[in-house]
Amino acid sequence: MKHKPAVNSSHAYSIDHECSIDQIRSVIAQNRSDHLLHILHALQQQLLHIPHRAVAEVASHLNLPVGQVESVVEFYSFFHNIPRGRYNILLSNCTSCGYMAGGKNLLQLLCQLLGVVAGRTRADGLVSVDQTSCVGMCDHGAAMLVNDRPIIRLDSGRIERIAALVNAAVPLEGWPEEWFDVDDNIRSSGLLLKDDLVAGDGLHAMIARGADATLDEITRSGLRGRGGAGFSTGMKWQFCREAPGDAHYVVCNADEGEPGTFKDRILLHSYADEVFEGMTVCARVIGSGQGLLYLRGEYRYLLPQLQAVLARRRELGLLGRNILGQPGFNFEIEIVVGAGAYICGEESALIESLEGKRGVPRNRPPFPVTHGYLGRPTVVNNVETFSAAAHIALRGSAWFSATGTGKSAGSKILSVSGDCAAPGIYEYPFGVTIQQVLEDCAAKDVQAVQVGGPSGTLIGKAEFGRKLGFEDLPTGGSFMVFGQERDLLAVAVNFAHFFAHESCGFCTPCRVGTTLLKNGVDKIAGGHGTHYDVDELKRLGALIKRRSHCGLGQTAANHLLDVIQRFPQVIEQRLAHSEFEPYFNLDAALEEARRITHRNDAAAHLE
Amino acid sequence: MRAEPKRDTAIPNTITIDGQEIPFSIGQTIMDAALAAGVYIPHLCHRPGLTPHGSCKLCTVSIEGRNVASHTADRRIQASSSVEIDSRSVSACTMPAMAGQQIRNNTPALNEVRKTITQMLFIEGNHLCPSCEKTGDCTLQAVAYHLGMLDGHFPQLSPRREVDASHGSVVLDRDRCILCELCVRASREVDGKNVFAISGRGIDAHLIVNSASGKLADSDLETGDMAAHICPVGAILIKEHGYEVPIGRRTFDLHRVSEIGLEPVILAKVRHTDE
């Protein structure tokens, strides 16, 4: 980890604000990548923020409009225009790996111990503490990122030790190593996780069979996109291959941001060869010379080993020029690292981000298969999809389609988290029942399961007989278990805040609607909601779902509509018994005055 | 309603909006075809001649059934991935017109949706029509009247937004910005400059000026630019020319927003006051 304490005086904060232009230029010059996100990350990491004057420097270095650089800095959660601490701590706020996961508010505890206000930097510039969306550590309890590195299994004791280490300014290298050890946690394995594929085997098989026949195998296998939407992989490759263009691109979507999903973490950590091999198979089929893997910023810690895998593949002749001695089979893979934006998991927003812009989903049509990265035909597939494609290239379509159901061939890797004794990775044939998964992960007294994450479906006991698959309950892999003790309204509040935070702001229904949903469910949770507010949420939810620009908005109300429909009592018992309560709340309106006067005693409250 | 469109090879290039058959040429969107035929579809972020944007969602229409995409590959993708619902919600300004599309536009249900979206635009900013210099010339206000909007319905979000009065002859009042990006596109596509951009995300998205200081004064915006005049609300105003046209004789005092081809009138009106 290249953690460079910027300055060691206690005045770091003010000095940082005055970063010299030479400092800025040297960071830009030393950065080996010319990708806007990478240069901004280097500035953020070394100067602890992206100073205003750096924006113009970066813009002129990359020959971009100043406005584009500024808008990117302000779009992504991990970039800041005022300095963060030398220890920049981000606690996950996910319901599974968040700071409340153990029942105790660890964010509050850490802030107290460090004498810092969440979201702000301590006056001495040493530390900043904030919250962030799910970091994909849901099988390891509460988790945080400190200077881009994950620490898992947080509890009060560990938080206290962390606070002490920070206060003593002990470098991360001196922190207990095991805190950073994130294991795979594979509980059951099937088609993809059981056997390692020897690097190159899929490619050899493809070359022997031929690109056309390989595409036929992929199509015949029935493989569908594993991100959740489930489009036929073979058809997607075929459309892209047929689309005219002077270049074709293969993009791997490793921006797994759906709360409760961490399967790609495992695939990238322990099965990266399969993923890269699948991309290379795709490249041969569609005639692409360049692949890009878009890695979510939360998984930056995986970058060195992913680069090592790429380097090894180059040495083995599995990447680069004339792959496996085939003249003209040239393919390279570049990794682009995101910076905290769930929306970039949407394929066209991801492409925008790859192009160094804000992650705003494009209008469709045209689709990426004809107009994708740099306007060229592009295949965007999920990490798991590429992994499956590599296996199919080696073992054939029949091997794959023998598992699963009619419309959902093969297996699905689930990320199981929440209230169960054995959270982790479970690979099942499609068609497995919810009940079966619950038994396997030793979940007792289950109240509800969130299938497919907050954007998916919330189901109760009566529906545990339903099956995972495109015919019934599709899922990108998130499987969150909620026990009887769990307050589903608190979960709804959490999810509503998540979507309001992650909306890109492009279209009116989602930009304004997700904030209104958040305010509405906050009001109910605060005990001020009435039946009128519930009806409002239903009406608003239906509109956002139907009229939003992209999948984020179209699914942002699902969790709330599901709670209202399937768990009405959860809402009902929190409603105020009146026809109408205004949003305006006198006590809440005094909050600013309390903050200014540093008072929070009973006399400073109205209720 | 007309009979089903013919499914043979000689499908005429027409779409049907609320039962009215409308011709289109390849490359036109539903909005293009509708406007050419004198059919009004409410819109705020669209302006003929600029790249369609599709963000305000006021032009939301419903397309019956399938067969709704333009490119062959796109059509195949949509056909195989579309869920079994009897209609699809699309933005008329970005969706290519396709032979045989059955479109619903001016229906009570869709106008109700549009009214709610307009209310969202009002409450997310700080819109105080009676004291706004743009009143009567404001498309947001006119659309609100057109849709029968009588209140904001939702609680005001009352955001804190910056005013930029640094420029000698143009003022930028972000309180009224609806993020339609007309100024962004006009500057880029018509003026050949790049004065504006959208920054931030979600409810905090906001208009920025593409200059080193972020101030309008340091940009190359001039009063002759389309970007200085295209704002459908009162976020970008020409200084020292307020209230030259008295209330009662302003654009939407004399015209309905649903009249087709008002855009030059609106632009000329502002230009007129600038002369």
Side-chain angles (χ1 to χ4, degrees), chain A residues 52 65-68 70-71 74-77 231 235 239 242 340-341 358 363-367 369-370 501-509 511-513 515-516 519 532 536 539-540 543 546-549 583, chain B residues 53-57 60 62 70-71 73-74 76-78 80-81 87 89 94-96 110 112-113 116-117 120-121 123-124 153-155 157 178-179 194 198-203 205-206 208 210-213:
Chain A
H52 185 69
V66 175
Q68 182 178 337
E70 187 182 341
S71 71
E74 292 192 335
F75 186 86
Y76 295 90
S77 296
F231 187 74
M235 276 169 81
F239 295 151
E242 290 167 357
R358 298 162 77 232
N363 281 304
R364 296 187 293 180
F367 287 83
V369 282
T370 59
H501 182 255
E502 298 296 346
S503 166
C504 79
F506 175 77
C507 76
T508 316
R511 179 180 69 242
V512 186
T515 289
L516 292 174
N519 293 348
Y532 172 83
E536 278 289 288
R539 193 178 77 100
L540 194 57
L543 185 144
R546 191 85 198 277
R547 312 296 172 182
S548 290
H549 177 65
Y583 263 87
Chain B
H53 198 234
S55 68
C56 77
K57 299 297 170 199
T60 291
S62 293
S70 60
H71 193 276
D74 298 337
R76 280 182 288 174
I77 281 192
Q78 282 190 341
S80 53
S81 66
S87 73
S89 176
T94 55
M95 180 55 72
L110 280 168
E112 186 62 27
V113 165
T116 304
I117 291 173
M120 288 175 161
L121 288 170
I123 61 99
E124 75 161 331
H153 185 79
F154 302 107
L157 298 184
I178 57 169
L179 304 170
N194 198 356
I198 300 293
S199 187
R201 94 177 182 207
I203 201 70
H206 57 276
I208 59 168
N210 187 25
S211 68
S213 67

Side-chain angles (χ1 to χ4, degrees), chain A residues 68 76 107 241 330 496 518 593:
Chain A
Q68 182 178 337
Y76 295 90
L107 176 65
R241 169 190 227 211
N330 307 326
K518 178 191 81 169

Side-chain angles (χ1 to χ4, degrees), chain A residues 512-572:
Chain A
V512 186
T514 52
T515 289
L516 292 174
L517 285 182
K518 178 191 81 169
N519 293 348
V521 71
D522 275 353
K523 186 182 177 191
I524 293 172
H528 295 285
T530 64
H531 283 288
Y532 172 83
D533 294 297
V534 180
D535 290 341
E536 278 289 288
L537 289 181
K538 281 199 252 184
R539 193 178 77 100
L540 194 57
L543 185 144
I544 298 170
K545 193 172 171 149
R546 191 85 198 277
R547 312 296 172 182
S548 290
H549 177 65
C550 78
L552 187 154
Q554 287 159 13
T555 57
N558 284 354
H559 70 96
L560 209 49
L561 296 173
D562 283 348
V563 172
I564 293 171
Q565 192 204 327
R566 293 186 168 92
F567 299 90
Q569 73 285 358
V570 168
I571 305 278
E572 188 72 34

Side-chain angles (χ1 to χ4, degrees), chain A residues 231-547:
Chain A
F231 187 74
S232 157
T233 304
M235 276 169 81
K236 187 183 271 189
W237 291 16
Q238 172 120 28
F239 295 151
C240 185
R241 169 190 227 211
E242 290 167 357
D246 54 6
H248 287 58
Y249 292 98
V250 178
V251 172
C252 178
N253 183 347
D255 193 52
E256 100 178 320
E258 188 72 36
T261 317
F262 47 90
K263 62 170 182 73
D264 291 350
R265 188 191 86 213
I266 281 77
L267 288 172
L268 295 168
H269 181 257
S270 302
Y271 299 83
D273 261 312
E274 282 86 331
V275 179
F276 292 137
E277 188 123 346
M279 290 176 73
T280 314
V281 168
C282 176
R284 181 64 158 175
V285 167
I286 68 167
S288 165
Q290 181 65 53
L292 297 131
L293 182 137
Y294 187 88
L295 182 68
R296 71 184 305 223
E298 291 80 351
Y299 290 170
R300 178 178 284 277
Y301 76 100
L302 293 171
L303 188 59
Q305 71 190 80
L306 287 172
Q307 299 285 19
V309 174
L310 286 178
R312 199 180 61 238
R313 292 183 69 83
R314 275 180 210 114
E315 277 164 28
L316 293 172
L318 304 174
L319 270 183
R321 299 194 63 77
N322 302 326
I323 291 170
L324 290 178
Q326 299 291 304
F329 185 6
N330 307 326
F331 186 60
E332 252 311 329
I333 295 176
E334 186 192 334
I335 300 176
V336 174
V337 188
Y342 168 72
I343 186 61
C344 292
E346 197 279 345
E347 61 177 4
S348 65
L350 184 150
I351 290 171
E352 288 282 299
S353 186
L354 283 176
E355 293 181 3
K357 301 181 206 149
R358 298 162 77 232
V360 173
R362 294 175 175 175
N363 281 304
R364 296 187 293 180
F367 287 83
V369 282
T370 59
H371 298 78
Y373 180 62
L374 305 177
R376 310 303 205 291
T378 302
V379 161
V380 184
N381 274 143
N382 187 269
V383 171
E384 189 179 346
T385 312
F386 280 123
S387 174
H391 281 276
I392 294 166
L394 173 66
R395 304 175 215 271
S397 59
W399 165 82
F400 189 76
S401 58
T403 301
T405 65
K407 283 185 180 169
S408 314
S411 64
K412 182 76 194 95
I413 303 177
L414 294 184
S415 317
V416 177
S417 69
D419 304 328
C420 60
I425 291 292
Y426 293 79
E427 185 179 8
Y428 287 105
F430 266 120
V432 66
T433 62
I434 303 298
Q435 186 60 44
Q436 182 67 50
V437 180
L438 289 174
E439 281 167 21
D440 292 348
C441 71
K444 293 200 180 76
D445 289 331
V446 179
Q447 179 181 192
V449 180
Q450 187 79 40
V451 182
S455 72
T457 316
L458 178 72
I459 57 168
K461 252 194 185 111
E463 296 177 85
F464 289 172
R466 291 180 67 181
K467 292 174 176 167
L468 291 180
F470 297 105
E471 300 93 329
D472 187 1
L473 280 171
T475 174
S478 175
F479 191 99
M480 301 164 112
V481 183
F482 300 133
Q484 290 298 345
E485 302 298 306
R486 188 73 81 135
D487 176 2
L488 289 183
L489 187 57
V491 171
V493 167
N494 180 295
F495 291 171
H497 280 251
F498 168 77
F499 285 114
H501 182 255
E502 298 296 346
S503 166
C504 79
F506 175 77
C507 76
T508 316
C510 174
R511 179 180 69 242
V512 186
T514 52
T515 289
L516 292 174
L517 285 182
K518 178 191 81 169
N519 293 348
V521 71
D522 275 353
K523 186 182 177 191
I524 293 172
H528 295 285
T530 64
H531 283 288
Y532 172 83
D533 294 297
V534 180
D535 290 341
E536 278 289 288
L537 289 181
K538 281 199 252 184
R539 193 178 77 100
L540 194 57
L543 185 144
I544 298 170
K545 193 172 171 149
R546 191 85 198 277
R547 312 296 172 182

Side-chain angles (χ1 to χ4, degrees), chain B:
Chain B
M1 290 288 285
R2 294 182 59 87
E4 280 286 302
K6 283 174 241 152
R7 296 274 177 207
D8 60 20
T9 48
I11 296 175
N13 277 347
T14 62
I15 56 176
T16 306
I17 302 183
D18 295 334
Q20 181 186 347
E21 194 167 336
I22 287 170
F24 74 93
S25 46
I26 298 297
Q28 277 190 317
T29 61
I30 293 172
M31 178 71 83
D32 295 334
L35 291 177
V39 172
Y40 176 65
I41 301 174
H43 57 274
L44 281 168
C45 74
H46 182 68
R47 183 68 58 99
L50 297 179
T51 306
H53 198 234
S55 68
C56 77
K57 299 297 170 199
L58 225 63
C59 70
T60 291
V61 294
S62 293
I63 301 185
E64 313 280 330
R66 297 170 174 189
N67 196 21
V68 286
S70 60
H71 193 276
T72 333
D74 298 337
R75 188 161 68 241
R76 280 182 288 174
I77 281 192
Q78 282 190 341
S80 53
S81 66
S82 85
V83 280
E84 269 68 29
I85 49 172
D86 48 355
S87 73
R88 264 172 32 91
S89 176
V90 301
S91 302
C93 71
T94 55
M95 180 55 72
M98 277 287 302
Q101 276 168 339
Q102 299 280 329
I103 296 154
R104 277 181 297 178
N105 167 40
N106 189 18
T107 69
L110 280 168
N111 285 330
E112 186 62 27
V113 165
R114 292 167 181 151
K115 188 173 89 180
T116 304
I117 291 173
T118 309
Q119 288 166 325
M120 288 175 161
L121 288 170
F122 266 93
I123 61 99
E124 75 161 331
N126 299 309
H127 297 275
L128 305 164
C129 297
S131 65
C132 178
E133 188 178 317
K134 189 85 171 187
T135 187
D137 283 326
C138 172
T139 316
L140 178 68
Q141 187 189 37
V143 162
Y145 278 126
H146 172 81
L147 295 168
M149 180 187 134
L150 298 177
D151 63 6
H153 185 79
F154 302 107
Q156 294 286 336
L157 298 184
S158 304
R160 199 167 292 185
R161 293 186 181 171
E162 265 181 60
V163 173
D164 180 351
S166 63
H167 194 278
S169 44
V170 180
V171 63
L172 172 58
D173 185 347
R174 293 184 176 86
D175 277 334
R176 301 166 187 150
C177 178
I178 57 169
L179 304 170
C180 67
E181 297 193 40
L182 280 172
C183 60
V184 176
R185 284 172 284 158
S187 182
R188 199 175 290 158
E189 297 170 14
V190 178
D191 304 333
K193 302 179 181 178
N194 198 356
V195 174
F196 297 104
I198 300 293
S199 187
R201 94 177 182 207
I203 201 70
D204 297 324
H206 57 276
L207 186 67
I208 59 168
V209 176
N210 187 25
S211 68
S213 67
K215 294 289 182 199
L216 260 189
D218 296 326
S219 74
D220 49 359
L221 182 72
E222 295 166 290
T223 49
D225 293 349
M226 192 185 199
H229 300 271
I230 200 168
C231 184
V233 293
I236 302 173
L237 293 169
I238 307 297
K239 283 182 176 177
E240 295 174 17
H241 290 275
Y243 296 99
E244 282 181 350
V245 180
I247 289 169
R249 283 177 47 207
R250 297 187 164 195
T251 309
F252 298 111
D253 297 323
L254 307 176
H255 301 275
R256 293 170 180 280
V257 71
S258 56
E259 286 173 37
I260 306 300
L262 268 186
E263 288 83 6
V265 178
I266 299 171
L267 274 185
K269 187 114 189 154
V270 191
R271 283 233 166 97
H272 161 74
T273 64
D274 192 30
E275 278 157 11

